[in-house]
Amino acid sequence: MTTVKLEKRSSDYPMLSIMEAWSRIASVLAPLPPVRKSLDCAAGLVLAEDIIARDSMPPFAAASMDGYAVMSSDASLEKSVVGEQDAGIKLDLSVGQGTAVRIMTGAPLPVRADAVIPFEKTEEKEDVVRLQVIPKPGENVRPVGLDMMAGETVLPKGFVLGPAELGLLAALGQFRVLVHPRPRISIMSTGNELVAGDEILKPGQIRDSNSVALSAAATACGFEVVTMSRPVHDDRNKIEQALISSLNDNDMVITSGGVSMGKLDLIKPLLAELGDVLIGRVAMKPGKPLTFAMLQGKPVFGLPGFPVSSLVCFEQFVRPALRLMSGLNLLWRPCVDVCLAEKLQHDPDRTEFQRAIVESGHEEFVAYSTGSQSSGRLKSLVGANALLILSLGMGDFPAGSRVKAFLINQPEIHKTLPIIC
Ligand code: AMP
Ligand code: MG
């Protein structure tokens, strides 16, 4: 009998902790170079310049109620009305001892006026007004510069432009601002077994669901996605061609499938040939074969093909990476303590992200598992609002245990990856 020499198949890539994997990603990524954009295209973008107010806002002292403008140092309660000041025009009016000007909200105050008594607290007859209250200095007046003074830095670089910030810029007449653009992303599915959603399945084939799910995950966080219309076959040259053309037009490429140890798992060797592979394995479940490389100065994520693995890797690595490239500094979702409603099994060799529904109980959050945690079972993510973090080195968790969880439907609040990972 001839002896067959068995070769051990082992990965060339070290198994990285989640922390180490993230620090490798963060060390090579930076916010995209700033561009000037008009305000209507700038919502959610990050400012790349300090905004200094050229004018004070409001630029003149104005009434903040409809009423009578008066001089607060004048104690007389009965005054003759010497004119009327509307908003949007500046009349040559002034008040003094015993006089008042009828004034509308937003109108500039007449000379010497420093208070406005609202109509409700007055009586007027034949241009004589009787005040029912004694005016106080500054009452119902918006002083010059209440919102901002000329020369003040109103928005420092790094600020995220939300509705209030955009309103402030519009009020200042600053209609074009320097911002970090959002990265453009290309998503491509790879696998001989895959067909596009509109095709009829032949035996052995499945529909490509990852490109739809990953695009939705990217657009949900505001990114612009170009999805390849058809899955790419497990063919070195076809993958290379798709990869290179996607890289030319985009800031990041995300592939799914083909990163494991099978003979048709071609992504890792191809990325190693064309660029620099920084991550080949991560001690996490799902998502162990996660791959990250830099090619032509741009990041490429090779996500595993199993639908849950690809979405969990997107959530834990791709999304923070996209946020970093957008100039955002809050990268991580809220990480909270939750109490397990039931026992969870856990493999201590890897940090596991179990999908769960977290509800607020009497005094704490309670986590309910979404059932079987197989990485091919997309239903384990359906309706889930949390990823429970079952740490490396720990065994099973009995019901009532407390663990950390990322709330995956909530906006990011952490700058750094919580060390629990
Ligand atoms: P792979 O990572 O290429 O070994 O793929 C692992 C498994 O994930 C495959 O056997 C498929 O069942 C599934 N899969 C891979 N790519 C996709 C995709 N784009 N859409 C849905 N399922 C996929
Ligand atoms: Mg495959």
Side-chain angles (χ1 to χ4, degrees), residues 97-119:
Q97 209 62 31
T99 62
V101 164
R102 217 177 283 115
I103 193 163
M104 307 306 144
T105 303
L109 286 197
V111 175
R112 284 190 297 278
D114 65 345
V116 172
I117 304 302
F119 284 136

Side-chain angles (χ1 to χ4, degrees), residues 331-346:
L331 305 184
W332 305 96
R333 308 268 201 188
C335 185
V336 299
D337 289 313
V338 300
C339 177
L340 302 183
E342 58 219 286
K343 177 185 176 191
L344 296 181
Q345 287 180 328
H346 170 54

